[in-house]
Amino acid sequence: DIQMTQSPSSLSASVGDRVTITCRASQSISSYVNWYQQKPGKAPKLLIYAALSLQSGVPSRFSGSGSGTDFTLTISSLQPEDFATYYCQQSYSTPQTFGQGTKLEIK
Amino acid sequence: QVQLVQSGAEVKKPGASVKVSCKTSGYTFTGYYMHWVRQAPGQGLEWMGRINPNSGGTNYVQKFQGRVTMTRDTSISTAYMELSRLRSDDTAVYYCARATYYYFSGSMPYDALDIWGQGTMVTVSS
């Protein structure tokens, strides 16, 4: 199975900050990475698919990059509604696997 | 609009089975794979498997093989996930999620979970 390792596990930041979350795959997975946002008590929401494509309706302050084994999710200017937990997921092969999550908290 | 509506919370005893339903609307049910993902309290997301609603073909995570069954009823656009021989560590929120495929020239298609159900809490306790 492909392991997805996210870093950091948690992050404190302020409104307006630029934030980057990293995900590393245990083997090369081309661009088969998706990113999700989850708020407490809610289902995850798709932000980015295929490593860098923005899902319809998602604000442009979210962006994704990377290929092979290293991927990043960047939020260019944090807004109050962005404080949540973020997960990467690989869809290169089954079983599809998620990273362990990054909790983004208000500083 | 596109919706996935799951069945309500369940409380089960160890060793019992649970069957969670996921009723879809607003799109062609047989045109999109349905995935199942679970989340234990305070923990991350765990992919369990998926079903092709058109063919009924399934892929399951090895750890659930023999305990999980994913099925569908195309006449009512509903997917099901049944988990048997429940243990306390199966206590979790179970989500169904629709997979959409995205096509780019020169590459195999990409899929991502673009629509999610609201989740079903399954509690396993004696």
Side-chain angles (χ1 to χ4, degrees):
Chain A
D1 299 359
I2 297 173
Q3 307 302 315
M4 302 295 285
T5 304
Q6 278 182 243
S7 61
S9 297
S10 63
L11 176 60
S12 293
S14 302
V15 172
D17 283 355
R18 179 183 181 89
V19 164
T20 297
I21 298 168
T22 297
C23 189
R24 174 163 288 175
S26 60
Q27 67 182 72
S28 180
I29 56 173
S30 183
S31 298
Y32 288 84
V33 163
N34 308 312
W35 289 94
Y36 301 87
Q37 176 194 66
Q38 187 181 33
K39 296 182 178 179
K42 299 294 187 182
K45 172 187 173 183
L46 177 64
L47 300 175
I48 301 284
Y49 61 90
L52 52 78
S53 295
L54 194 66
Q55 173 68 349
S56 176
V58 174
S60 59
R61 62 181 180 273
F62 291 92
S63 64
S65 65
S67 67
T69 59
D70 295 314
F71 303 88
T72 59
L73 172 70
T74 299
I75 310 172
S76 61
S77 178
L78 273 175
Q79 299 302 300
E81 60 269 28
D82 299 338
F83 292 94
T85 301
Y86 293 85
Y87 294 93
C88 60
Q89 177 215 17
Q90 67 81 16
S91 60
Y92 181 79
S93 65
T94 55
Q96 295 190 4
T97 45
F98 290 91
Q100 78 277 20
T102 295
K103 187 173 184 179
L104 181 53
E105 299 173 306
I106 301 172
K107 185 183 287 185
Chain B
Q1 81 271 27
V2 177
Q3 267 192 307
L4 307 181
V5 178
Q6 298 183 222
S7 48
E10 303 262 14
V11 179
K12 296 291 184 181
K13 294 194 182 303
S17 298
V18 68
K19 190 171 185 176
V20 178
S21 67
C22 174
K23 182 164 180 58
T24 73
S25 59
Y27 72 97
T28 302
F29 177 66
T30 52
Y32 297 79
Y33 278 69
M34 189 68 75
H35 294 225
W36 290 88
V37 176
R38 77 176 186 178
Q39 186 170 38
Q43 302 302 307
L45 302 172
E46 180 177 27
W47 191 82
M48 298 180 68
R50 67 183 180 184
I51 183 169
N52 178 342
N54 189 43
S55 67
T58 55
N59 299 102
Y60 302 142
V61 171
Q62 180 73 24
K63 71 178 279 188
F64 298 115
Q65 287 280 359
R67 287 210 300 141
V68 70
T69 306
M70 296 177 188
T71 57
R72 89 292 189 216
D73 184 337
T74 57
S75 68
I76 55 171
S77 300
T78 300
Y80 302 93
M81 187 284 301
E82 184 170 21
L83 191 62
S84 63
R85 303 194 300 276
L86 289 167
R87 308 186 293 250
S88 58
D89 62 357
D90 291 318
T91 294
V93 176
Y94 290 76
Y95 293 101
C96 59
R98 185 187 82 165
T100 287
Y101 278 85
Y102 302 90
Y103 297 87
F104 302 89
S105 63
S107 68
M108 292 177 58
Y110 296 80
D111 69 314
L113 306 179
D114 66 334
I115 306 293
W116 294 65
Q118 83 277 18
T120 296
M121 182 71 212
V122 175
T123 302
V124 183
S125 174
S126 55

